[in-house]
Amino acid sequence: MAEKIPEDIKQDIERLVKELNYHCYRYYVLDSPVISDEEYDSLYVKLKGLEERYGHILSDSPTRRIGASPLDKFEKVKHKEPMLSLDNAFSFDDLMEFDRRVKRLLGSDEDIEYTVEPKYDGLAIEITYHNGLLYKASTRGDGYEGEDVTANIRTIRSVPLKIDEKGIPHEIDVRGEVYMDIDEFEKLNNEREQEGESLFANPRNAAAGSVRQLDSSITAKRRLHLACYGMGAVKGTDFRNQWKFIHWLEKHMFPIPVMVRRVRGIDKVIDVIKDIERKRRGFSFETDGAVIKVNDFDLQKSLGIKTREPRWAIAYKFPAHQGTTRINEISSSVGRTGVITPVAMLEPVRIGGVTVSRSTLHNWDEIERKDIRVGDYVIVERAGEVIPHVISVIKDRRTGKEKPFPIPDKCPVCGSRVIREKGEVAVRCIGLDCPAQVQERIRHFASRGAMDIEGLGEKNVELLYSEGMIRHFADIYRIKKEDILRLPRFAEKSAQNLMDAIEKSKHTTLSKFLYALGIPHVGEYAAKLLSRNFESMEDLYKIKPGKIMGIRQIGEKIALSVSSFFNDPENINTLEKLKESGLKLTNPDYENKGSRERLFEGFTFVITGTLPEPRNYVENMIEELGGMTSSSVSKHTDYLVVGEEPGSKLRKAQSLGVKTISYEELLGLIKHKRMPKNLKLQF
Ligand code: IVH
């Protein structure tokens, strides 16, 4: 039984809910958090404790975002106003034709005011608020009737559970697109590939698949976003135009598209579209066009609807980055967990300014579904930053000589048996000593986000392996310079560089090391969570799964995997040997770090180019001061530290408006303790 709730506790709960919702908004909508994840977590735990003890859970409490019990099926929801689709324009001529039609229908000679914004490639959703509270969320369905996905949509952190103000419309349907960022989509697919699960073809399918889950706790684990761009039925207010409505959304903490412009006249619309097209590479999500809407709602009403599409809006589609080419060969590559991936070797083709000569076919389900054969002509697409993929086969161009590519019965690398477990799409090589798997594990260990040993890429790992110098990643630390010097591709300088890189990698963080170990299911994120909760590697030795499962966001699968790794005497032996070779781990992520200076708390840094100090040294320094480091620039990045010969990250940072600083300026920030003061909370 919950205890009776004293008034001051009630107020504490209300304050905590408000505070946590505000931080969620800073993080997920504005991309500029003002407290660290740890601080957020500790407020969350405090709230959860009070809620459980007193049984008082507010309707907009963040603890309601974790997903509800699984459903048997989705209930149907009728849309009060139909959810329409959009007519497409494939050229600026089409757009001018659209503008002429609008003017003709309105009997107007004057330039029309339009809004222009990117078209998000996701899943359209309607969210109904009753008296300010999120009441129902539904998919578009056939436009008239969709599916009730309320529990799933509640788990998306950027979706407001409550509209917080007096005088809000007592009923409003907010519409928008649920989408997944490209990075997140690739991470999810990588994990699924390693798990032998079927892959999502693109971020849109991943978002749709994540929302249409009967078990909303699965949705809660996927990082989904929302961009709101429209409304359905509204009672109790009148917005007059799209621009005002978007500002109302923004004011009430709804996420809106990254760029929304209001311009008069179709020429200006075209300028904005060109601007979006220039910037789209820097967007974190996939966009295949722009949406143009007549701004004024009265004008929209008089233009009306033609069957299923409004006459007042149109979608401009960017020219697709597709090409036609031939599959010369299909080969199989074996990953570090033994999963065999078919890869199409293509007749090189230029697509959107880049030469494409290979494309992953993901798995044999995909090959079967698309009926892909060696020798086929195929349409290949390179959408945004996503790796190229085969869209379809041009069956009309078949000559009859094309050959299917069956599942191999043996591993193409080691000849071991190949298995396909029930319910999995992946085909795996079961040979533990399979050279491909061993080399992939070593390559993973040495890779950027892991031990970051420059010079130990695919080619050199293969060379050292074939020379019998490494059979396991622990062997890396036994390599001697004179042995490398004997190898064909090495000279004094390159050998020394590799030795230096190996030496440098011995000083790293616990989270990078845990990730490097390649423990099944432990990606970068899980490694970070573990490091926040365990001070040192030794604390994980002989760990029981239950102790790991207590960590928020870590489930049974990861817990069992980590526990079984650290209970294997052979693994412990390897770890101890690594320590003897000089491995030294720091753990800036650990939560009870005491009162060390946390100058960079809440700030994320990315480094590009060569700095005067080794990169991992600088990263450690940032993390020691409470900052986060990441290997790629996104809208979450606060500072890009620019060294000599910076790479493409600099361009990306500039297009996203991310601040750039030199290494000296970074040291200056530290020396003078000059960080923008964390903003005061405003309620
Ligand atoms: S407005 C009647 N704005 O595109 C106007 N739609 O092809 C309704 N979409 O069903 C939509 N980004 O799912 C609008 N900025 C945006 C959009 C957008 C993506 C989707 C939406 C719609 C589909 C139509």
Side-chain angles (χ1 to χ4, degrees):
M1 259 306 270
E3 292 177 40
K4 187 167 167 356
I5 179 162
E7 195 52 38
D8 56 333
I9 300 283
K10 213 162 152 185
Q11 279 169 12
D12 277 352
I13 291 181
E14 277 165 25
R15 191 182 44 78
L16 280 167
V17 166
K18 230 176 182 164
E19 203 167 325
L20 283 159
N21 282 339
Y22 174 76
H23 290 307
C24 248
Y25 171 70
R26 297 281 326 191
Y27 191 93
Y28 291 100
V29 180
L30 300 186
D31 283 329
S32 80
V34 284
I35 60 171
S36 67
D37 292 3
E38 290 86 353
E39 282 169 289
Y40 181 91
D41 286 352
S42 87
L43 290 173
Y44 186 96
V45 168
K46 203 159 142 196
L47 172 65
K48 185 126 182 88
L50 290 178
E51 285 180 345
E52 272 165 12
R53 180 156 168 208
Y54 295 100
H56 182 65
I57 308 178
L58 296 180
S59 51
D60 60 335
S61 167
T63 62
R64 290 184 181 254
R65 290 193 192 266
I66 50 167
S69 20
L71 305 171
D72 296 329
K73 65 174 179 52
F74 292 116
E75 297 297 330
K76 296 275 182 230
V77 179
K78 278 205 166 54
H79 302 301
K80 291 186 270 335
E81 295 282 340
M83 288 180 80
L84 304 170
S85 54
L86 289 171
D87 198 4
N88 289 322
F90 294 100
S91 64
F92 293 146
D93 279 350
D94 287 355
L95 271 186
M96 299 211 256
E97 176 53 37
F98 163 77
D99 179 57
R100 277 194 293 274
R101 198 172 58 225
V102 167
K103 283 184 178 160
R104 198 176 57 238
L105 290 170
L106 293 174
S108 160
D109 295 334
E110 282 180 25
D111 279 346
I112 306 289
E113 195 168 65
Y114 293 106
T115 61
V116 191
E117 71 219 19
K119 185 166 190 291
Y120 281 70
D121 213 4
L123 176 77
I125 290 288
E126 175 170 272
I127 310 176
T128 302
Y129 289 86
H130 274 184
N131 297 320
L133 283 186
L134 189 156
Y135 161 74
K136 194 153 276 213
S138 52
T139 60
R140 175 168 178 269
D142 61 6
Y144 300 97
E145 195 177 73
E147 288 174 327
D148 185 338
V149 286
T150 314
N152 307 47
I153 295 300
R154 293 186 78 94
T155 68
I156 302 175
R157 302 293 197 275
S158 54
V159 171
L161 299 176
K162 187 174 173 188
I163 309 174
D164 222 354
E165 200 192 71
K166 300 220 163 37
I168 41 161
H170 51 85
E171 195 173 311
I172 181 165
D173 295 337
V174 174
R175 292 174 178 177
E177 201 84 351
V178 172
Y179 64 96
M180 191 180 277
D181 276 344
I182 298 170
D183 281 0
E184 194 57 34
F185 155 74
E186 284 175 350
K187 220 189 285 161
L188 177 65
N189 256 2
N190 273 339
E191 280 166 24
R192 291 176 70 90
E193 193 156 5
Q194 294 303 324
E195 301 292 317
E197 292 170 61
S198 64
L199 300 187
F200 292 114
N202 48 46
R204 182 188 55 238
N205 287 6
S210 305
V211 170
R212 297 196 63 260
Q213 281 285 344
L214 290 166
D215 183 353
S216 52
S217 69
I218 297 181
T219 316
K221 289 199 192 102
R222 309 267 170 86
R223 298 187 163 204
L224 296 170
H225 298 273
L226 175 74
C228 297
Y229 49 64
M231 63 184 182
V234 186
K235 277 189 207 140
T237 195
D238 181 9
F239 289 104
R240 302 231 326 267
N241 62 46
Q242 175 74 10
W243 187 248
K244 283 219 159 76
F245 175 60
I246 290 283
H247 281 92
W248 180 87
L249 287 173
E250 191 178 24
K251 182 168 156 224
H252 291 92
M253 298 188 169
F254 283 88
I256 57 169
V258 280
M259 270 175 87
V260 188
R261 301 275 185 275
R262 176 182 56 167
V263 288
R264 196 174 280 283
I266 202 70
D267 294 345
K268 298 259 174 53
V269 167
I270 291 173
D271 289 344
V272 175
I273 291 176
K274 287 182 181 159
D275 193 29
I276 294 178
E277 187 161 21
R278 264 194 306 275
K279 295 197 170 122
R280 72 192 266 227
R281 277 184 147 262
F283 292 163
S284 60
F285 57 92
E286 198 147 280
T287 170
D288 61 348
V291 180
I292 297 96
K293 296 169 194 165
V294 169
N295 187 35
D296 191 281
F297 286 163
D298 285 340
L299 296 186
Q300 287 189 3
K301 220 178 270 157
S302 40
L303 285 161
I305 295 165
K306 115 187 135 190
T307 43
R308 318 211 43 184
E309 293 144 6
R311 289 199 188 86
W312 46 263
I314 196 159
Y316 172 82
K317 290 290 185 82
F318 297 131
H321 284 170
Q322 290 188 349
T324 303
T325 188
R326 185 171 173 272
I327 298 183
N328 288 333
E329 204 190 317
I330 299 180
S331 66
S332 303
S333 86
V334 184
R336 72 185 151 92
T337 58
V339 173
I340 305 180
T341 308
V343 181
M345 302 301 178
L346 307 168
E347 190 59 40
V349 57
R350 299 276 298 170
I351 304 177
V354 174
T355 303
V356 176
S357 53
R358 46 195 284 165
S359 155
T360 168
L361 298 176
H362 302 302
N363 53 56
W364 272 268
D365 267 21
E366 176 100 347
I367 294 187
E368 230 164 77
R369 193 153 41 80
K370 295 185 176 156
D371 186 18
I372 297 170
R373 303 179 191 179
V374 178
D376 266 336
Y377 278 90
V378 288
I379 296 175
V380 179
E381 185 176 73
R382 216 179 53 86
E385 304 274 303
V386 181
I387 35 176
H389 64 280
V390 170
I391 301 231
S392 60
V393 171
I394 308 175
K395 301 238 168 91
D396 287 349
R397 290 184 74 170
R398 278 198 175 151
T399 60
K401 288 195 185 136
E402 295 74 17
K403 292 209 168 49
F405 188 70
I407 297 178
D409 45 15
K410 288 197 304 249
C411 169
V413 178
C414 71
S416 295
R417 206 156 57 83
V418 151
I419 55 156
R420 189 180 197 175
E421 265 158 34
K422 238 177 85 192
E424 286 199 354
V425 296
V427 172
R428 276 177 211 273
C429 153
I430 56 160
L432 269 185
D433 298 324
C434 170
Q437 286 187 49
V438 172
Q439 287 175 48
E440 275 302 305
R441 284 198 288 268
I442 297 171
R443 211 190 44 71
H444 169 79
F445 183 82
S447 67
R448 260 284 169 84
M451 302 302 270
D452 193 14
I453 308 179
E454 215 176 313
L456 262 193
E458 200 174 321
K459 291 237 163 62
N460 282 343
V461 168
E462 193 182 338
L463 180 67
L464 294 172
Y465 180 89
S466 64
E467 293 292 324
M469 287 168 59
I470 40 175
R471 282 286 176 271
H472 189 275
F473 54 69
D475 298 338
I476 294 174
Y477 297 105
R478 282 195 279 269
I479 296 176
K480 294 202 178 59
K481 188 173 165 192
E482 54 265 34
D483 294 334
I484 316 181
L485 271 172
R486 262 188 266 121
L487 299 175
R489 236 178 305 134
F490 283 93
E492 171 61 32
K493 181 145 196 302
S494 49
Q496 190 55 50
N497 286 348
L498 181 56
M499 291 311 290
D500 290 347
I502 292 174
E503 193 53 38
K504 199 179 76 187
S505 76
K506 290 179 183 170
H507 298 257
T508 187
T509 61
L510 178 61
S511 83
K512 287 191 177 171
F513 181 70
L514 287 174
Y515 171 63
L517 290 174
I519 304 169
H521 314 297
V522 179
E524 274 177 285
Y525 191 62
K528 260 264 162 352
L529 291 176
L530 287 168
S531 319
R532 278 194 198 152
N533 289 277
F534 294 92
E535 189 166 13
S536 71
M537 180 169 74
E538 291 75 12
D539 292 346
L540 284 159
Y541 285 7
K542 298 210 175 115
I543 190 94
K544 296 266 179 313
K547 276 198 113 168
I548 306 174
M549 244 154 7
I551 303 174
R552 193 157 70 88
Q553 294 187 54
I554 289 200
E556 195 179 357
K557 225 161 44 174
I558 297 180
L560 287 174
S561 176
V562 173
S563 151
S564 108
F565 182 93
F566 285 101
N567 276 282
D568 180 340
E570 209 169 305
N571 288 338
I572 302 294
N573 195 10
T574 306
L575 297 177
E576 287 298 307
K577 284 223 180 88
L578 284 174
K579 282 197 326 206
E580 281 162 27
S581 334
L583 178 77
K584 283 231 158 36
L585 301 176
T586 51
N587 188 3
D589 301 306
Y590 186 56
E591 279 190 339
N592 306 323
K593 290 162 290 275
S595 57
R596 223 181 307 135
E597 180 105 60
R598 313 274 303 158
L599 182 65
F600 290 162
E601 188 88 68
F603 291 89
T604 301
F605 292 76
V606 176
I607 299 171
T608 183
T610 313
L611 302 181
E613 299 286 349
R615 189 175 287 219
N616 64 347
Y617 169 85
V618 180
E619 284 176 350
N620 283 354
M621 184 169 79
I622 291 171
E623 292 185 5
E624 291 277 351
L625 288 165
M628 291 272 280
T629 56
S630 161
S631 53
S632 60
V633 174
S634 75
K635 49 185 181 163
H636 299 290
T637 312
D638 295 294
Y639 286 98
L640 178 72
V641 184
V642 184
E644 274 174 40
E645 294 181 39
S648 62
K649 287 179 203 162
L650 179 57
R651 236 178 305 125
K652 186 156 180 190
Q654 283 163 345
S655 76
L656 288 174
V658 169
K659 277 191 227 79
T660 56
I661 52 172
S662 66
Y663 182 63
E664 289 67 35
E665 284 171 313
L666 175 75
L667 295 183
L669 289 179
I670 298 172
K671 194 162 158 219
H672 304 294
K673 299 205 169 91
R674 237 201 6 232
M675 235 22 216
K677 265 270 161 281
N678 284 353
L679 294 168
K680 283 262 175 303
L681 301 188
Q682 298 160 347
F683 295 117

